[in-house]
Amino acid sequence: MRALLARLTNPLRTIDADPDDLVHEAYELLRQAEKNEGNWPAMTAYTGKATAKIQLAQYLKEHRG
């Protein structure tokens, strides 16, 4: 019962995003990171955001379909 309630109240449940679009956006962010080679703060920001988008896409694919 606890797991069902947690699943129903999960804030990620209401995300209306296409996982394929998220992966494409992550790819573009990684390309931006490559353009900023040597600028570690920028590279870290771009790759961190790309990683989050990939993880979210994976979560949505696993729990929607």
Side-chain angles (χ1 to χ4, degrees), residues 5-46:
L5 182 59
R7 211 174 309 130
L8 290 175
T9 59
N10 187 342
L12 294 176
R13 187 172 182 264
T14 59
I15 294 175
D16 185 28
D18 181 23
D20 294 331
D21 289 343
L22 290 171
V23 171
H24 179 72
E25 291 172 17
Y27 174 75
E28 294 299 324
L29 288 168
L30 292 174
R31 289 182 61 198
Q32 288 295 322
E34 286 178 347
K35 290 180 184 176
N36 287 287
E37 187 174 350
N39 182 354
W40 292 106
M43 290 178 67
T44 301
Y46 284 123

